[in-house]
Amino acid sequence: MERMTVLNKKNYLFTSESVTEGHPDKVCDQISDAVLDALLEQDPMARVACETAVTTGLVLVMGEITTSAYVDIPKIARHTVQDIGYTRAVGGFDYESCAVLTSIDEQSQDIALGVDRAVESRDGLLSTGAGDQGLMFGFAVDDTPEFMPLPITLAHKLTKRLAEVRKDQLTDMLFPDGKSQVSVRYENGRPVHVDTVVISSQHRASVSLAELTDAIKALVIEPVLERTLFDEKTRILVNPTGRFVIGGPQGDSGLTGRKIICDTYGGMGRHGGGAFSGKDPTKVDRSASYMARYLAKNVVAAGLAKRCEVQLAYAIGVAEPISVSLDCFGTAGVDEKRIEQALIELVDMRPDAIIRHFNLRRPIYRQIANYGHFGRVELGLPWEATDLAAKLKSAAT
């Protein structure tokens, strides 16, 4: 079934997943963004493309970095692993005994040419060119106050709560690795019921499945899910295999950027394919995705549509986007072309402008490597602001 058909249906089930900060892929995202933050703290103009891979007893940090700063990458990696909770008490992978290897080169001069000096200029000023070609999507829907889809919002809340319960020592049976999955039933396009909740959590070998299930229901699920949507008809599955003792990088290798759907909209919005973590803001995979989210969110916040998706596309070395397009899935109250044109007229979408608009050359990235890059209003992220809504409404109506 094509995605457009699903989003235009009135009655359907939609499922999204999230993973904890101890998931091996998320370990990698956090290390990559921790390295990025450390470099930006010293050198806001640093060019960073930092990838991480982990497996049993090993962390490999690699990529292209051009900077005047110096940071101790192995120390950053170990501190991040420790902060996540991989100590000797877990077994199989810990911050003290794991090997940390680095393989870092400078950014390609061919790429730097296009980033340093864009093909075009405006008002006689040279602009930063896009750091790569690509297409980026932003999405918003009025399911929640944060204008995020409800399934991914609930999934993130569950995995975040899993980590809080473990770190606050509300129980000693949980280890860092874990996942959640939430299926929500929609009727007439609105979320009406949480149909199924799946929680998989790494745990101590001595804990029985019954004990674990009771603890997760009481400490994780019930405090997170609102009773208006969650009831006795909701199906709950905890560790469906019956056992999850071997986890983290010991149980599965990890790689930066492999959880891009968790990072964005849980599958309800399209994704251009480029990951975020470990990339400085000249990489439009990251910065333009934040801009696309900002645009889509303000369309919905302005009351112009109930859901909105914005696509931006760039060519390497070119500052202006190659295309800007908008889809409101039949929910717009005005002509979509008028909304699209208003966005183009009101917002400068060149990389330099995006970086300035959101103040992106600063160390803010490790905190969003977990639990989503969008809808995190508690962090005060600038791309979550709705300050464009009033102007947009006036221009489009």
Side-chain angles (χ1 to χ4, degrees):
M1 184 178 294
E2 293 184 359
R3 176 183 163 281
M4 285 286 291
T5 304
V6 171
L7 288 186
N8 287 327
K9 284 177 63 176
K10 290 186 176 181
N11 303 319
Y12 56 93
L13 276 173
F14 200 92
T15 302
S16 296
E17 74 157 352
S18 176
V19 298
T20 64
E21 57 209 61
H23 185 281
D25 293 331
K26 276 295 157 197
V27 172
C28 295
D29 285 345
Q30 290 166 93
I31 293 172
S32 293
D33 273 337
V35 171
L36 173 64
D37 278 355
L39 289 165
L40 290 177
E41 189 168 17
Q42 295 184 40
D43 177 14
M45 302 303 290
R47 299 280 172 79
V48 183
C50 179
E51 308 285 344
T52 304
V54 297
T55 188
T56 304
L58 176 65
V59 176
L60 172 61
V61 183
M62 53 195 161
E64 294 76 44
I65 297 174
T66 300
T67 180
S68 60
Y70 169 78
V71 298
D72 188 337
I73 292 178
K75 184 176 181 180
I76 292 170
R78 292 186 190 280
H79 176 75
T80 304
V81 172
Q82 179 186 21
D83 185 57
I84 291 167
Y86 283 112
T87 65
R88 291 185 184 273
V90 178
F93 182 85
D94 69 84
Y95 76 98
E96 291 177 298
S97 66
C98 69
V100 180
L101 304 181
T102 62
S103 180
I104 304 295
D105 206 345
E106 289 189 342
Q107 183 183 66
S108 163
Q109 290 302 307
D110 293 344
I111 295 174
L113 283 172
V115 177
D116 293 340
R117 182 177 179 137
V119 169
E120 78 278 37
S121 62
R122 178 183 290 179
D123 300 328
L125 299 176
L126 294 176
S127 295
T128 297
D132 200 353
Q133 72 174 43
L135 51 143
M136 301 83 207
F137 288 95
F139 183 77
V141 62
D142 64 353
D143 281 5
T144 65
E146 303 86 7
F147 299 102
M148 286 289 288
L150 184 62
I152 189 63
T153 299
L154 295 179
H156 282 324
K157 287 182 178 180
L158 289 168
T159 50
K160 190 175 182 181
R161 178 64 180 171
L162 264 178
E164 289 171 352
V165 167
R166 172 177 59 86
K167 289 185 171 183
D168 293 345
Q169 298 182 336
L170 299 183
T171 177
D172 65 355
M173 62 179 65
L174 301 181
F175 283 161
D177 197 359
K179 293 183 176 182
S180 70
Q181 185 171 285
V182 178
S183 301
V184 174
R185 181 173 300 281
Y186 283 74
E187 292 181 2
N188 295 317
R190 307 301 303 169
V192 297
H193 185 248
V194 175
D195 186 83
T196 305
V197 174
V198 183
I199 300 285
S200 294
S201 180
Q202 186 185 13
H203 60 88
R204 293 188 181 278
S206 59
V207 176
S208 71
L209 181 59
E211 290 174 315
L212 184 70
T213 299
D214 288 345
I216 286 179
K217 283 183 178 179
L219 297 174
V220 178
I221 296 176
E222 291 179 0
V224 167
L225 298 184
E226 298 180 14
R227 298 303 301 183
T228 54
L229 298 176
F230 165 68
D231 56 27
E232 66 280 355
K233 295 180 181 179
T234 301
R235 186 184 186 195
I236 297 175
L237 299 172
V238 175
N239 284 14
T241 68
R243 181 178 171 87
F244 186 2
V245 173
I246 299 173
Q250 182 191 18
D252 192 9
S253 60
L255 186 65
T256 298
R258 207 155 54 179
K259 284 290 174 283
I260 55 177
I261 299 303
C262 295
D263 287 339
T264 54
Y265 310 102
M268 193 172 283
R270 278 176 284 207
H271 198 292
F276 302 152
S277 290
K279 296 178 180 178
D280 76 81
T282 65
K283 278 73 172 175
V284 284
D285 278 340
R286 178 165 227 160
S287 54
S289 293
Y290 295 165
M291 174 55 76
R293 161 63 177 174
Y294 173 73
L295 299 177
K297 183 174 182 178
N298 276 273
V299 169
V300 179
L304 297 173
K306 292 184 176 297
R307 64 175 67 213
C308 177
E309 183 177 77
V310 172
Q311 185 202 53
L312 305 177
Y314 291 82
I316 188 168
V318 180
E320 293 285 357
I322 299 301
S323 69
V324 179
S325 63
L326 175 142
D327 189 348
C328 295
F329 309 100
T331 68
V334 299
D335 187 343
E336 288 185 3
K337 286 296 180 184
R338 293 179 64 178
I339 303 175
E340 191 176 288
Q341 188 58 39
L343 291 176
I344 293 171
E345 292 174 356
L346 289 172
V347 182
D348 190 340
M349 302 175 199
R350 295 176 297 165
D352 260 346
I354 296 173
I355 291 168
R356 289 194 302 271
H357 190 145
F358 297 142
N359 190 17
L360 295 179
R361 296 190 188 275
R362 55 194 172 111
I364 59 172
Y365 299 107
R366 163 77 199 279
Q367 65 181 338
I368 52 175
N370 304 309
Y371 315 120
H373 291 240
F374 307 118
R376 306 289 299 280
V377 292
E378 76 279 6
L379 299 179
L381 302 171
W383 53 88
E384 290 298 316
T386 54
D387 53 342
L388 182 66
K391 291 181 181 178
L392 182 57
K393 186 173 184 178
S394 177
T397 57

